[in-house]
Amino acid sequence: MLFRSSRVITIGYAVTAAGAIALGVVSALHMPVSWIFYAIFFIIAFSRAIYAPTSNAFVPALVPREIFPNALAWNASLAKITQIGGPAAGGFLYLAGPEWAYGLTATCFVIGTIANWMITPRRRSATVTRFDAGTLFAGFRYIFVSKIILGAMAVDLLVVFMGNVTPLLPIFAKDILQIG
């Protein structure tokens, strides 16, 4: 079965929504076991590492060539606004409890999942190649043959996994900085 870019993004959003729900449940049940949080963060980071590049590459399939620069500017601007405003809003929402912040995050990703599921990209005149197992694993073969790309991806995955502290910001605000 051929996975279109919109389906990859949809699955990535659904996995991230499930991770946010899991974080909310773990927080609501007051389970302070750190390995559970790290396992959920790993799953969310892995999902983001797959759907984020796909979503960036998907924009040209949504809009005509004439308005592509404007669409790209809007896409980048809104992404930055949400990257800055989301954690700030989550910090205020944390006052009601961490499960509320994770719940809103999950709700937003569920809405994103549904919206992406409904997207129908523009048809292109390019020929469609047959999709098989060789096509599926061609990218993996290329990565493992090109050692520099393998190293760069390993470093990037490590940075995404260890550097994604956004979900921990409410914990730092309440428990470490004690500012509520």
Side-chain angles (χ1 to χ4, degrees):
M1 182 168 128
L2 177 62
F3 274 108
R4 295 188 328 216
S5 298
S6 62
R7 300 301 174 236
V8 172
I9 299 167
T10 301
I11 292 168
Y13 279 11
V15 169
T16 304
I21 291 168
L23 287 170
V25 168
V26 169
S27 295
L29 296 177
H30 304 291
M31 299 171 58
V33 182
S34 61
W35 73 265
I36 295 174
F37 284 98
Y38 284 119
I40 296 169
F41 293 152
F42 178 79
I43 292 167
I44 291 172
F46 185 78
S47 174
R48 179 184 278 174
I50 292 172
Y51 80 75
T54 306
S55 66
N56 289 336
F58 190 53
V59 176
L62 295 176
V63 297
R65 183 177 295 227
E66 310 81 60
I67 63 171
F68 175 70
N70 194 19
L72 193 61
W74 274 102
N75 185 42
S77 297
L78 290 174
K80 289 302 173 192
I81 289 170
T82 58
Q83 288 171 356
I84 294 169
F92 285 114
L93 191 59
Y94 187 81
L95 295 173
E99 58 276 356
W100 287 95
Y102 294 131
L104 180 61
T105 301
T107 301
C108 290
F109 272 100
V110 166
I111 292 169
T113 301
I114 294 167
N116 274 294
W117 186 260
M118 295 169 48
I119 289 175
T120 304
R122 292 181 305 113
R123 295 281 179 204
R124 298 205 175 202
S125 61
T127 59
V128 177
T129 59
R130 182 92 176 129
F131 183 80
D132 58 4
T135 307
L136 178 65
F137 294 109
F140 289 112
R141 278 195 304 273
Y142 179 75
I143 289 168
F144 286 110
V145 169
S146 305
K147 298 299 180 189
I148 192 158
I149 293 176
L150 177 62
M153 289 186 72
V155 169
D156 183 55
L157 182 62
L158 182 66
V159 168
V160 168
F161 177 64
M162 300 303 280
N164 188 14
V165 298
T166 305
L168 295 175
L169 291 178
I171 296 168
F172 278 93
K174 182 179 178 197
D175 298 337
I176 297 172
L177 300 174
Q178 298 177 353
I179 57 174

